[in-house]
Amino acid sequence: MRRVVFLSSPHQTPHPFFQQPNPIAVLHADIERLIAATGLESTIIRPGMLASNSLAWWAPAIRAGEAVRWPYGAAETAPVDDRDIAAVAARTLHQDGYTGGDYVLTGPESLTQAAQIGVIGDALGRQIPFEEMTPDEFRNLSQGTAPSSVVDMLLAAWSAAVGQPAYITTAVADILGTAPRTFRQWAADHAAAFTEGSQGS
């Protein structure tokens, strides 16, 4: 079978969150051009913010029983469940009808980052304190853990996302025939990763 499904990024999406300078998006665009030049049957899927990012970002503080300190708590995103992304990739790879398709995948609801932390707290049965961090604090804490260009892109995207609903599509439901999982479902299914003694995954 001469078919490719490429997991790209929503860098062409008409929403300020996705319009920030992004070295990863430049790389993805180059790969998309290379795929197009091969003449293979191809489908591009573009997940937005991943629900699983919260494991890397917030789980350490939550497991330690500490407040989550994070910048731009009012920034709204629509976290998409990794399982929905995988199901879409499998469907578009193995079933006909998706060649040439270009799909932005999002979760079904727009939630501020602070609200997402609250949802995780609900799944754990306790309130998780949230404290706003300044962008400069975030830059300092991120040194050595992520390239500065990625940190700057995230901060710019979150800043642009404050005060407006996240970009939401129906692509997951359109392709799978079932509603995308909510962040509340994701948090309930991954609650153990946020509990003391867990190392996450």
Side-chain angles (χ1 to χ4, degrees):
M1 182 181 294
R2 294 173 57 79
R3 184 176 294 172
V4 173
V5 174
F6 179 53
L7 190 68
S8 189
S9 53
H11 55 266
Q12 300 168 327
T13 304
H15 187 284
F17 182 81
F18 297 115
Q19 295 301 305
Q20 310 312 310
N22 184 345
I24 297 171
V26 173
L27 172 66
H28 285 165
D30 288 342
I31 294 172
E32 288 172 33
R33 282 191 287 272
L34 290 171
I35 291 172
T38 66
L40 292 170
E41 293 183 10
S42 63
T43 305
I44 309 295
I45 56 177
R46 306 179 185 279
M49 189 61 72
L50 305 180
S52 59
N53 284 345
S54 58
L55 291 171
W57 292 345
W58 306 325
I62 294 170
R63 283 197 293 265
E66 299 169 355
V68 172
R69 302 188 69 249
W70 203 250
Y72 297 110
E76 297 195 32
T77 64
V80 59
D81 193 302
D82 309 58
R83 296 168 293 185
D84 287 335
I85 299 168
V88 167
R91 178 70 57 89
T92 55
L93 182 63
H94 292 291
Q95 287 194 5
D96 293 334
Y98 300 103
T99 298
D102 191 318
Y103 305 101
V104 176
L105 310 182
T106 73
E109 57 190 337
S110 180
L111 294 166
T112 67
Q113 298 197 99
Q116 291 169 38
I117 292 164
V119 167
I120 295 168
D122 290 345
L124 298 176
R126 63 183 175 89
Q127 190 166 4
I128 299 169
F130 173 78
E131 297 175 3
E132 186 77 21
M133 177 190 288
T134 69
D136 283 341
E137 284 181 288
F138 185 72
R139 283 191 184 91
N140 291 336
L141 284 173
S142 300
Q143 281 183 354
T145 63
S148 59
S149 58
V150 172
V151 173
D152 288 343
M153 178 273 296
L154 282 171
L155 287 169
W158 289 326
S159 175
V162 171
Q164 60 180 315
Y167 185 82
I168 293 174
T169 74
T170 60
V172 171
D174 294 343
I175 293 168
L176 299 181
T178 55
R181 292 173 174 91
T182 64
F183 188 70
R184 190 167 295 277
Q185 286 174 279
W186 181 91
D189 290 342
H190 293 81
F194 293 94
T195 58
E196 187 178 355
S198 167
Q199 294 306 306
S201 57

